[in-house]
């Protein structure tokens, strides 16, 4: 039994290394290809609509719309739409004053951003307006003045879906906001940027993305209603062979939850949503790996994103913990042997996880140093806590596995305005 446990531990480490080794390659590419060259001007300026599904967002909605009105892009080619979704405050009024066309929705049964986006797209189509593409933002975002211009450059290269560089409004507020921010910066720098360079597909991350009219028409609106509709949309596109582009110079600032309770609730929904997407798309993505005509690696990459790797790791740790508990009833010699094997594995897993996550955080902060708009001390002081932030995903994933989870809004507040910086300076 002991030798079997030792063999299982070795094979698990080897298997996880092989499955996720491509992310190590992505990280290396992301570091050494740091200076991204700006794309030349786009041959065409497309007409876009910016979509915002807002629920009780009166404290932040005007700031987002102001940043969209200040785009260095022809104003007549960018229309702003807000769906006030089950609001009990003056979000709709503030959005109208800020220059958006506003629709209201009241539906206590179909709750969530996916349903709101679907209705907003339907309402726009009923007006008779037609656009080349649609941006999707969260109400708490701030958009860099060059955002639309830079997204249009990538969109003009033939991508039907384009995602952007996701920065943070409140990186330095506390260790929770820093943990969120580092993870999203890492996603941009060490995942989506290398994917774009290497010719595979990026993945949409919640906000700051663009989809073409063609995609909306083919989908019949926005039919993505799982708890993580952004990951569902990404998985659906990639499974269908649609490559998602990435605009490295298009920056959107996002506000992160401040309290651990808010972070737990949001990430619990994300974890449950990942399980839902995994169940719905594991077979289409697996088939896509062997599809002729390209896109196979993108399907594999997406499959490793939605696969419950952390849950698998937690179960292995629990198995070793059970072995440790069971050995307490065994003779002393046998107990010491089990303690050596399982204890060594658990110590290795803990140390390896902490060091690995610390290095991920350190690499991310150093490569994105100029774009993290905080004093040097605030950029570095939360790094030792980043592995702990990531470790909290373990109990969250276990809770999501056995509990019923519903979409609930996160309260937002106005954060300090960010400087109008571009990547690389």
């Amino acid at each position: 039994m002991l030798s079997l446990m030792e063999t299982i531990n070795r094979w698990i480490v080897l298997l996880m290394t092989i499955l996720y080794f491509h992310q190590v390659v992505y990280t290396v590419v992301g570091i050494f290809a740091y200076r991204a060259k700006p794309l030349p001007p786009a041959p065409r300026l497309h007409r876009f609509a910016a979509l915002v599904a807002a629920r009780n967002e009166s404290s932040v909605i005007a700031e987002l719309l102001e940043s969209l009105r200040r785009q260095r892009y022809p104003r007549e080619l960018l229309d702003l739409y807000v769906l006030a979704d089950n609001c009990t405050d003056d979000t709709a009024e503030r959005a109208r004053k800020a220059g958006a066309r506003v629709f209201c929705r009241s539906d206590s049964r179909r709750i969530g951003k996916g349903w709101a986006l679907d209705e907003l797209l339907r309402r726009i189509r009923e007006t008779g307006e037609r656009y080349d593409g649609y941006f999707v933002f969260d109400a708490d975002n701030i958009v860099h003045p060059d955002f639309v211009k830079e997204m249009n450059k990538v969109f003009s290269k033939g991508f039907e879906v384009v995602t952007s560089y996701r920065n943070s409004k409140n990186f330095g507020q506390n260790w929770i906001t820093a943990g969120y921010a580092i993870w999203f910066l890492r996603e941009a720098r060490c995942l989506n940027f290398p994917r774009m360079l290497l010719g595979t597909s990026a993945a949409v991350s919640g906000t700051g993305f663009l989809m073409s009219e063609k995609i909306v028409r083919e989908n019949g609106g926005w039919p993505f209603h799982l708890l993580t509709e952004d990951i569902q949309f990404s998985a659906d596109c990639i499974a269908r062979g649609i490559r998602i582009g990435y605009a490295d110079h298009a920056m959107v600032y996002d506000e992160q939850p401040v309290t651990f309770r808010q972070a737990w609730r949001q990430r619990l929904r994300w974890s449950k949503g990942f399980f839902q997407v995994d169940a719905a798309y594991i077979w289409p993505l697996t088939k896509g790996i062997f599809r002729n005509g390209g896109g196979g690696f993108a399907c594999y990459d997406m499959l490793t994103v939605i696969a419950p790797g952390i849950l698998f790791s937690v179960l292995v740790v629990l198995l070793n913990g059970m072995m440790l508990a069971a050995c307490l009833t065994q003779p002393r010699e046998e107990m010491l042997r089990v303690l050596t094997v399982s204890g060594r594995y658990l110590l290795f897993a803990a140390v390896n996880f902490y060091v690995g996550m610390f290095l991920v955080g350190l690499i991310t902060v150093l490569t994105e140093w100029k774009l993290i708009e905080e004093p040097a001390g605030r950029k570095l002081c939360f790094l030792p806590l980043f592995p702990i932030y990531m470790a909290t995903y373990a109990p969250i994933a276990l809770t999501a596995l056995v509990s019923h989870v519903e979409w609930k809004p996160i309260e937002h507040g106005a954060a300090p305005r960010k400087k109008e910086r571009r990547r690389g300076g």
Side-chain angles (χ1 to χ4, degrees):
M1 181 65 180
L2 186 60
S3 60
L4 176 61
M5 195 68 215
E6 198 167 10
T7 301
I8 290 174
N9 287 340
R10 289 200 189 104
W11 276 103
I12 287 170
V13 172
L14 179 61
L15 179 62
M16 296 297 284
T17 301
I18 292 173
L19 289 176
Y20 289 94
F21 183 75
H22 66 286
Q23 292 196 7
V24 177
V25 175
Y26 283 162
T27 300
V28 173
V29 172
I31 293 171
F32 289 99
Y34 174 58
R35 296 295 178 183
K37 296 181 180 179
L39 294 174
R44 178 188 169 192
L45 298 179
H46 293 85
R47 188 180 185 219
F48 298 118
L51 313 182
V52 186
R55 181 170 183 177
N56 292 339
E57 300 283 12
S58 61
S59 64
V60 293
I61 189 66
E63 189 174 31
L64 166 63
L65 296 173
E66 178 188 349
S67 71
L68 287 169
R69 292 202 318 272
R70 294 171 61 244
Q71 290 295 297
R72 299 183 182 117
Y73 197 81
R75 182 167 295 187
E76 67 273 13
L77 296 181
L78 180 65
D79 291 339
L80 312 182
Y81 291 90
V82 171
L83 183 76
D85 184 25
N86 290 289
C87 290
T88 56
D89 65 0
D90 61 345
T91 294
E93 182 180 351
R94 294 199 178 200
R96 288 191 187 97
K97 289 181 178 179
R101 299 180 66 177
V102 180
F103 300 102
C104 295
R105 172 178 181 263
S106 180
D107 189 331
S108 59
R109 185 173 60 88
R110 297 181 298 179
I111 301 296
K113 180 179 175 182
W115 293 108
L117 284 177
D118 194 32
E119 179 157 338
L120 182 52
L121 286 166
R122 179 180 62 81
R123 296 277 195 98
I124 293 172
R125 186 164 294 276
E126 288 174 352
T127 67
E129 297 283 4
R130 293 294 181 266
Y131 299 93
D132 298 313
Y134 301 87
F135 291 105
V136 177
F137 297 105
D138 288 339
D140 59 289
N141 296 160
I142 299 175
V143 183
H144 189 280
D146 288 326
F147 181 90
V148 174
K149 180 176 69 176
E150 295 298 329
M151 292 288 277
N152 182 65
K153 290 178 181 179
V154 179
F155 186 72
S156 296
K157 295 172 74 69
F159 289 93
E160 301 291 343
V161 182
V162 184
T163 192
S164 63
Y165 183 97
R166 188 171 178 179
N167 208 329
S168 177
K169 291 165 63 176
N170 56 339
F171 181 104
Q173 193 160 355
N174 59 37
W175 69 280
I176 297 171
T177 61
Y180 271 98
I182 290 171
W183 189 251
F184 287 131
L185 290 171
R186 179 251 179 189
E187 183 177 70
R189 168 55 30 207
C190 298
L191 291 180
N192 281 336
F193 179 52
R195 286 165 174 160
M196 187 69 170
L197 289 179
L198 297 173
T200 185
S201 178
V204 167
S205 179
T207 187
F209 66 93
L210 168 64
M211 55 185 173
S212 69
E213 163 63 24
K214 178 184 176 184
I215 290 290
V216 173
R217 187 173 62 253
E218 289 178 351
N219 288 334
W222 183 265
F224 307 106
H225 304 304
L226 299 181
L227 288 172
T228 48
E229 75 289 330
D230 54 335
I231 300 300
Q232 183 186 5
F233 176 60
S234 298
D236 188 79
C237 287
I238 292 171
R240 291 162 52 192
I242 299 169
R243 184 183 169 204
I244 300 172
Y246 168 69
D248 193 46
H249 286 266
M251 187 182 301
V252 59
Y253 293 92
D254 188 36
E255 183 180 324
Q256 313 307 335
V258 175
T259 68
F260 187 77
R261 181 178 181 181
Q262 289 178 326
W264 176 282
R265 190 173 67 193
Q266 184 182 65
R267 292 186 292 157
L268 182 67
R269 174 174 62 82
W270 289 354
S271 295
K272 191 71 171 185
F274 268 82
F275 293 151
Q276 292 175 341
V277 175
D278 189 37
Y281 287 91
I282 187 170
W283 180 238
L285 289 171
T286 301
K287 289 193 299 182
I289 294 174
F290 307 100
R291 179 177 53 227
N292 293 326
F297 185 77
C299 287
Y300 170 78
D301 189 9
M302 191 67 209
L303 199 58
T304 61
V305 170
I306 66 172
I310 189 169
L311 186 61
F312 183 67
S313 300
V314 169
L315 292 177
V316 173
V317 169
L318 289 176
L319 181 60
N320 278 271
M322 291 171 61
M323 286 286 293
L324 282 174
C327 80
L328 297 178
T329 62
Q330 301 300 312
R332 186 174 182 276
E333 183 178 345
E334 184 69 18
M335 180 179 68
L336 290 176
R337 289 177 61 198
V338 174
L339 284 172
T340 300
V341 173
S342 290
R344 184 171 55 199
Y345 176 82
L346 291 174
L347 180 62
F348 170 81
V351 172
N352 189 56
F353 178 84
Y354 185 89
V355 173
M357 287 295 102
F358 180 83
L359 289 176
V360 165
L362 180 62
I363 289 169
T364 301
V365 169
L366 292 180
T367 56
E368 306 309 281
W369 186 267
K370 293 183 179 180
L371 298 177
I372 301 173
E373 298 174 15
E374 298 288 346
R378 300 296 287 180
K379 296 179 186 181
L380 297 173
C381 69
F382 297 117
L383 282 177
L385 295 174
F386 178 65
I388 297 174
Y389 165 83
M390 293 303 300
T392 59
Y393 268 106
I396 288 172
L398 287 174
T399 304
L401 187 65
V402 299
S403 62
H404 175 70
V405 181
E406 296 179 346
W407 184 90
K408 293 182 180 180
I410 298 293
E411 293 182 6
H412 296 119
R417 180 181 299 280
K418 295 300 179 181
K419 298 175 184 177
E420 298 179 1
R421 291 185 179 178
R422 291 174 60 91
R423 167 168 293 290

